[in-house]
Amino acid sequence: MSLALIAFLVLIAAFAWGSFTRVNAGLIAVVAAFIVGPLLAGLDIKEVIGAFPAGLFFILVGATLLFAIVRVTGTIDLLAYWCERLAGDRKVLVPILMFLLTASLAAAGAFTPAAIAIVAPVALALGMRFGISTLAMGLVIVQGANAGAFSPVNPFGVLGNQMLDSAGASGDSWKLFVYCFLFNAVLALIAYVVIQSIMKRRAAKRGEGGNAAITNDDGDTSGGISPSGGGSPVGTATLTATRTETRTVTKVPVTPMRILTLVALVSLLVLTTVFGIDVGVASLIISLVLIAVNPGVQKPAMESMPWSAIILVTGIVTYVGMLEAMGALDELQAGIESLGNGSIAALVTSYVVGMVSAFASTTGTLGVISPVVTPIALDPMLTPIGVVTAIAISSSVVDVSPMSTSGALLMASAQPKDERMFFRALLLWAIAMIAVVPLLVWFVFVQLGIG
């Protein structure tokens, strides 16, 4: 048994331990990295520390702090109220609006974590108000971000187009965007229907299919997200889960602090998209400005930050970084390059990028895999747009993983009581995506040669 295989098995064991017990899987993984790295690969402790994802850490801390401030000020309730008014009694419009909003932000150039950071708190709050599973809403907005992520101005799209350029298919950049958009739109619909059906069956089994009020931990019916200190009470919306749903929507007042917070969210998009500032750094800057204006939001915001989720994600990504440092990931790439058949190589590469991207940055994964993809795309028996589209979708569809930035942001936006449920559900969905999607997109775009 190779050292790389042993290291991968340790990671799987960490997942299993963390999934079926109350022990944080990230804590297990980071401790394992300091044992496996030095003992199996001869890595220095400093090298293992160097695998810590500082960039991801700042994204999570900055974004979750900003989310917390948005919640504390009641701005989420204001946004949810506006969207609620727009949707009216048409419940079906809620996930559609959230999908299109996230896709539009990503297509305009917003880094996918930034788009999800802005939309996730609103989408999950709206989901609870309309009796929609927050998990279903979370999956919808991640697919929305992925749907717009391969536009020519998005970082994902830029990397995808570079691969097309290297394969001599630069004119297919808009095809890449359209194919990815349509695939993610269909996947969002499937995710929504499947999760909603599962949740309804579970509710029926628990005897909650009759008249039941959906409330938060405080007994309110405000969508489960209410300020945890400071500020005035936010508006509420009562949802009665009956066959003929009736909702009483209470107006959420517009206050100077909420307007300033909305401006802050727009500023986050501008800073990350126009000026190219890191999402985490931009979030910290904006959070400091908001706290300086209203110091009363600092304590409740910091106390509500999901530190367990931050440790979970950064700990596992640290272990993956250790795997890269010991050369385990290089062994996978070398194996792909040794394959003689271009079609089979495309399939294997799709699975590899899916597995790696589930635990790491999709942008980084696409950047690393580009040299491997180009010779495959140049195979005269294949179409460059087909190969690149399969790789693009396989690498991004697993962003829902709780170990990726997007999945971690979803966990950060969920209520604390739902954290473990979100982790398990997102992990299972990501595993399903890794198992099914690469084969599907390979057959559609590579084997059938759609392009």
Side-chain angles (χ1 to χ4, degrees), residues 322-342:
M322 184 276 298
L323 288 176
E324 185 175 6
M326 67 181 288
L329 300 184
D330 291 334
E331 289 187 25
L332 287 176
Q333 292 185 25
I336 293 173
E337 293 174 347
S338 66
L339 295 173
N341 186 293

Side-chain angles (χ1 to χ4, degrees), residues 164 167 169 172-177 179 377 382-391 445 449-451:
L164 288 174
D172 289 336
S173 60
W174 281 105
K175 286 185 179 180
L176 175 64
F177 172 55
Y179 292 159
L382 307 176
T383 61
I385 182 61
V387 172
V388 174
T389 300
I391 301 298
F445 295 103
I450 293 178

Side-chain angles (χ1 to χ4, degrees), residues 74-90 93-94 97-98 101 122 125-126 129-130 235-237 247 249-263 265-266:
T75 307
I76 287 178
D77 296 87
L78 178 62
L79 288 171
Y81 167 71
W82 286 345
C83 291
E84 202 168 6
R85 289 291 301 272
L86 180 61
D89 292 327
R90 295 163 293 186
L93 283 184
V94 176
L97 287 172
M98 294 299 101
L101 176 59
V122 180
L126 266 180
R129 292 189 180 199
F130 276 82
T236 62
R247 294 179 301 106
V249 182
T250 303
K251 183 178 180 180
V252 179
V254 177
T255 65
M257 189 62 192
R258 289 171 184 168
I259 291 297
L260 179 60
T261 306
L262 289 175
V263 173
L265 293 178
V266 175

Side-chain angles (χ1 to χ4, degrees), residues 279-301:
V279 175
V281 174
S283 297
L284 287 172
I285 294 172
I286 294 170
S287 297
L288 177 60
V289 172
L290 293 175
I291 290 173
V293 173
N294 184 3
V297 304
Q298 176 178 286
K299 187 174 186 294

Side-chain angles (χ1 to χ4, degrees), residues 264-350:
L265 293 178
V266 175
S267 300
L268 175 64
L269 183 62
V270 173
L271 290 174
T272 56
T273 302
V274 179
F275 296 98
I277 297 178
D278 180 81
V279 175
V281 174
S283 297
L284 287 172
I285 294 172
I286 294 170
S287 297
L288 177 60
V289 172
L290 293 175
I291 290 173
V293 173
N294 184 3
V297 304
Q298 176 178 286
K299 187 174 186 294
M302 288 191 171
E303 288 179 348
S304 65
M305 289 177 64
W307 290 106
S308 61
I310 293 173
I311 293 173
L312 174 68
V313 175
T314 54
I316 291 176
V317 175
T318 297
Y319 190 92
V320 174
M322 184 276 298
L323 288 176
E324 185 175 6
M326 67 181 288
L329 300 184
D330 291 334
E331 289 187 25
L332 287 176
Q333 292 185 25
I336 293 173
E337 293 174 347
S338 66
L339 295 173
N341 186 293
S343 179
I344 298 301
L347 176 60
V348 174
T349 304
S350 296

Side-chain angles (χ1 to χ4, degrees), residues 54-382:
L56 176 59
F57 175 79
F58 281 112
I59 288 175
L60 293 176
V61 171
T64 54
L65 177 58
L66 182 57
F67 298 160
I69 294 173
V70 172
R71 283 195 291 267
V72 168
T73 58
T75 307
I76 287 178
D77 296 87
L78 178 62
L79 288 171
Y81 167 71
W82 286 345
C83 291
E84 202 168 6
R85 289 291 301 272
L86 180 61
D89 292 327
R90 295 163 293 186
K91 177 178 176 179
V92 69
L93 283 184
V94 176
I96 295 175
L97 287 172
M98 294 299 101
F99 176 89
L100 292 176
L101 176 59
T102 319
S104 299
L105 292 174
F111 192 48
T112 51
I116 293 171
I118 294 170
V119 179
V122 180
L124 269 58
L126 266 180
M128 295 195 70
R129 292 189 180 199
F130 276 82
I132 299 172
S133 164
T134 53
L135 178 61
M137 289 295 291
L139 292 175
V140 165
I141 63 170
V142 171
Q143 300 313 142
N146 289 338
F150 286 92
S151 77
V153 297
N154 189 282
F156 285 12
V158 170
L159 290 171
N161 291 333
Q162 287 177 355
M163 287 187 275
L164 288 174
D165 291 342
S166 300
S170 57
D172 289 336
S173 60
W174 281 105
K175 286 185 179 180
L176 175 64
F177 172 55
V178 171
Y179 292 159
C180 291
F181 186 97
L182 293 176
F183 185 90
N184 281 283
V186 173
L187 187 58
L189 175 61
I190 294 173
Y192 179 81
V193 172
V194 170
I195 299 301
Q196 278 291 91
S197 298
I198 293 174
M199 293 302 181
K200 285 182 179 179
R201 284 199 298 270
R202 288 186 176 180
K205 289 180 179 179
R206 291 196 302 265
E208 297 176 357
N211 295 338
I214 296 178
T215 62
N216 62 19
D217 291 339
D218 299 321
D220 297 328
T221 52
S222 57
I225 299 180
S226 60
S228 54
S232 59
V234 300
T236 62
T238 302
L239 171 64
T240 303
T242 63
R243 291 190 177 183
T244 57
E245 293 180 352
T246 59
R247 294 179 301 106
T248 302
V249 182
T250 303
K251 183 178 180 180
V252 179
V254 177
T255 65
M257 189 62 192
R258 289 171 184 168
I259 291 297
L260 179 60
T261 306
L262 289 175
V263 173
L265 293 178
V266 175
S267 300
L268 175 64
L269 183 62
V270 173
L271 290 174
T272 56
T273 302
V274 179
F275 296 98
I277 297 178
D278 180 81
V279 175
V281 174
S283 297
L284 287 172
I285 294 172
I286 294 170
S287 297
L288 177 60
V289 172
L290 293 175
I291 290 173
V293 173
N294 184 3
V297 304
Q298 176 178 286
K299 187 174 186 294
M302 288 191 171
E303 288 179 348
S304 65
M305 289 177 64
W307 290 106
S308 61
I310 293 173
I311 293 173
L312 174 68
V313 175
T314 54
I316 291 176
V317 175
T318 297
Y319 190 92
V320 174
M322 184 276 298
L323 288 176
E324 185 175 6
M326 67 181 288
L329 300 184
D330 291 334
E331 289 187 25
L332 287 176
Q333 292 185 25
I336 293 173
E337 293 174 347
S338 66
L339 295 173
N341 186 293
S343 179
I344 298 301
L347 176 60
V348 174
T349 304
S350 296
Y351 272 106
V352 169
V353 295
M355 289 185 287
V356 174
S357 184
F359 306 103
S361 164
T362 300
T363 307
T365 302
L366 288 172
V368 170
I369 208 68
S370 291
V372 179
V373 174
T374 300
I376 299 174
L378 286 171
D379 189 322
M381 301 298 293
L382 307 176

